Amino acid sequence: QVQLVESGGGLVQPGGSLTLSCAASGSILSIVGMGWHRQAPGKERELVAASFSGGVTNYADSVKGRFTISRDNAKNMAYLQMNSLKPEDTAVYYCNSIVIDNQRKHLTVRGQGTLVTVSS
């Protein structure tokens, strides 16, 4: 099995910064990609940022220039640095990953989510 655990959410004022962390563990042979989705109350889940092998990254237009995704491949970690936060960034943020497990199966895994609240 493969697990993802997020951390780093919380309450922050508009204009502030937060860094989310995601730790992948379990029977991992390799990680194809890691990313972050979010879901705000009453809204559909949306992709925020993703990072794939080879250094390819992808961002939602709403966060470009403010959020940065990074990975530590040696530690199977992903991070989301969020700057200039806005109230509309308030959501539960989920870490997602596509991994190849020790049986060489491709798995899509999602964490339990961490709440980010941007409010004064």
Side-chain angles (χ1 to χ4, degrees):
Q1 285 190 340
V2 177
Q3 298 85 33
L4 299 179
V5 177
E6 304 101 331
S7 60
L11 174 64
V12 63
Q13 291 187 343
S17 298
L18 274 178
T19 300
L20 305 183
S21 299
C22 175
S25 63
S27 304
I28 299 172
L29 182 60
S30 65
I31 295 179
V32 177
M34 297 186 79
W36 295 89
H37 287 72
R38 67 185 179 187
Q39 187 165 20
K43 294 187 177 181
E44 293 187 355
R45 190 160 57 109
E46 63 172 350
L47 173 69
V48 177
S51 172
F52 299 95
S53 301
V56 177
T57 57
N58 188 30
Y59 293 93
D61 288 341
S62 59
V63 306
K64 283 181 181 177
R66 301 189 297 123
F67 290 13
T68 302
I69 187 171
S70 61
R71 287 169 58 181
D72 184 333
N73 293 323
K75 296 181 179 180
N76 288 340
M77 295 284 296
Y79 306 94
L80 185 67
Q81 173 68 43
M82 305 185 292
N83 298 325
S84 302
L85 283 161
K86 305 175 182 180
E88 51 264 42
D89 294 318
T90 295
V92 177
Y93 284 71
Y94 298 92
C95 180
N96 299 269
S97 184
I98 301 173
V99 307
I100 300 174
D101 70 6
N102 289 341
Q103 296 183 334
R104 299 189 179 274
K105 295 180 181 177
H106 284 74
L107 303 175
T108 300
V109 190
R110 189 175 82 173
Q112 81 286 353
T114 186
L115 177 63
V116 173
T117 303
V118 184
S119 175
S120 55

